Amino acid sequence: MKSTIILLLLLAYHSIVSAQDMKGMDMRKKDSMHPKQPVTYTPPHTVRYDLYITDTMVNFSGKSKRAIAVNGQIPMPTLTFTEGDTAEIYVHNELDEETSLHWHGLFLPNKYDGVPNLTQMPIKPHTTHLYSFPIVQHGTHWYHSHSRFQEQIGMYGAFIMNKRKEWDIPTIPVVLSEWADMKPEEVDRSLHNATDWFAIKKGTTQSYTEAIKTGHFSTKVTNEWKRMTAMDVSDVFYDKFLINGKSQNEQPQFKAGEKVRLRIANGGASDYFWLTYSGGKITVVATDGNDVVPVEVDRLIIAVSETYDVVVTIPDSKSYEFLVTPEDRTKSASLWLGSGAKVLAARLPKLKYFAGMKMMNSMMDMKGNMIEMEDMAMRNQTMDMNTVMYPEITGPENPKDTGNADMPKMKMDDKMKIDGKEMQMNKGEHSMAGMDMGNNNKDIVTLNYGMLRATSKTTLPLGPLKELKFDLTGNMNRYVWTLDNKTVSESDKILIKKGENVRIILFNNSMMRHPMHLHGHDFRVLNGQGDYAPMKNIIDIMPMERDTIEFAASEPGGDWFFHCHILYHMMSGMGRIFSYENSPANPEVPDPKLAQRKLFADDRMPHFMGRVGLESNGSDGEAMFAQTRWKASTLWNLGFHDMHGYESETMIGRYLGRMQWWYPYIGFDYHYKVEGGPKNIFGSEEKNWFGQKSDKLNRHTVIAGIAYTLPLLFIADARIDGNGKLRFQLSREDIPVTSRLRFNMMINTDKEYMAGFRYILTKYFSLSTHYDSDMGVGGGITLTY
Ligand SMILES: [Cu+2]
């Protein structure tokens, strides 16, 4: 009862504030981005919000699905403050599960940073937690759950801190997000199991048939030779993309000639978005809450969790489309500004995956390392990598049809300044040989970090410098994402001291871009703007790019998370913890050891995978538990008759190396069979190819072996069993013949061989047929979980 009254009071309060906003809007002058008469606000005061977190059902795609709402809405309500205020946010967890809220980009006392098991204990079900902190900055920020996968299903919202003298211009918060009907836990499990179901749904499988049809057979072979799977720019299939909770969002209140500021936050869990506008140029005025010298562009890409303030003009009495397109361009969402006839923004053409694959091939060496080109050090995004990665080419995928177009030549300044000192850059132009991506529309201005310039000097205070280097590393096949090939739970906290400056050099040695986020601090992005390097809390790093950031360790203490903001990368362990030396104890974490164990459990979590074939000749299949390094699995071949044999192998092993190509294991093998099965094409099965007498008719023995992933993704497996018998095996699974047809094969020195096809009907069902030296030919279905 009491809380309802408070809520009503709050509503009344906020309607007064919005009325004041409206008054401010009436006073605005046209064409003035920096008004002479700023809007005045009430003196600093405490602003209270009550957030009620509840389970809810939503229907974004035609299917009713579970989501999480706050005060009955998705996104969560926009929280608005003015610099100098004090925030008092009561979080009422009405879920049956734990939760937390992180205030993204805010400078605040560590115990309110909202990382469960690090800066506080999780907010237990049906309890209330208070976050209370002074608002000491301004700008466009956002807030989200930092617990498990809650951010994916509704727990994101805008967090706006106005300056005391704010621009007099109509402003709307714009929160971008994605919606998947699939539960995020299942999305995560699917990613770890390397299913290509999402690619099938998106039409981006890049099979051999598609490669041959488009003249890219050698590209595909090279790709697999380098042990890569199909190329993609985003991992997850989403059913809808949302702008403030709607895929079509209408804002008709704007009139011709008006300028509108959009405070855009990418609250998506894993998608980058292209932003384009049908009413003319987009003026970027701030990023991650920090003002930049206004820069006009035709388009920009917003990384996961980044924010941009942009200003657009409504040119006429029409409705102009602000188009939001996910990086993979599978769908889009639209924000309509103004009223009248609709003016559409140009759709972004489909991506040319094989052209992208060709480029990735040339970027990666045989050890799985991204090649850092000597004459093209990709630093700080001073060159337009977005243009390089995504030139606007239309037409067919066939390179013959697009002609032999030139790549844009990349010019770089000879020198750039880092912390006042001039650094010699690798000079010049690079023709991107072998990276023929076709024509590039030179008229389109795309924002890059090099264009961001702070409005005042951002040099760090004098202090000792601590320099750190990290490689962003990952393994697409097993979906392990790391820094220097170590997860959060595999690495120590990085100790920093108050008063020192921390410089971090990041090299992206993986095939995906990563938006790296630092909690509680802004960092300078050394982008060639010298003393005016922009301040951000997110840096997007492309494959083979090397970037430098630096920040002042200015907090009194605490543990601050630094991590990739792609939710599924973070959950697999891509991060580090910066910890101030001699921090006072955090009262919100009474048992730090227990907290750490729970925190580390996130990236240690095992994933289950199963595949069961039910065919006319018997059943074969595999079940496994796997996590970052370890895998326990069992596989079986059970014929319907004794002469078809019964076999099961159970193994536990550990993947080694960054690319996880080595897999030593130990286990147990059981094999029983009577003679009379299918005739072996290699003759008698009495002896194996090493001349050892076969024991496959009745074998139960321990085994030890090592598997290795070869070029073309063949698995070589050498093992010895408890009876001294050797076995060498070559196998390859899931060769993509067409978008849904997969081919499997296996042969070993016990004269066993197998070949089969699987046609994927749904995520869980396939039609399958295979021939096996023990079981003969069979057909049926395969269930995949
Ligand atoms: Cu990442």
Side-chain angles (χ1 to χ4, degrees), residues 610-622 636-640 757-758 764-770 775 777-784:
R611 179 178 54 78
V612 180
L614 299 168
E615 296 185 1
S616 53
N617 55 351
S619 169
D620 63 346
E622 185 177 13
W636 64 86
N637 297 287
L638 304 173
F640 280 142
F757 287 97
R758 191 163 70 86
Y764 303 106
F765 283 94
S766 309
L767 297 176
S768 58
T769 175
H770 84 288
M775 288 154 62
V777 71
I781 58 165
T782 294
L783 309 175
T784 313

Side-chain angles (χ1 to χ4, degrees), residues 35 73 393 421 679:
Q73 63 180 88
I393 30 177
K421 278 172 270 167
K679 196 169 152 52

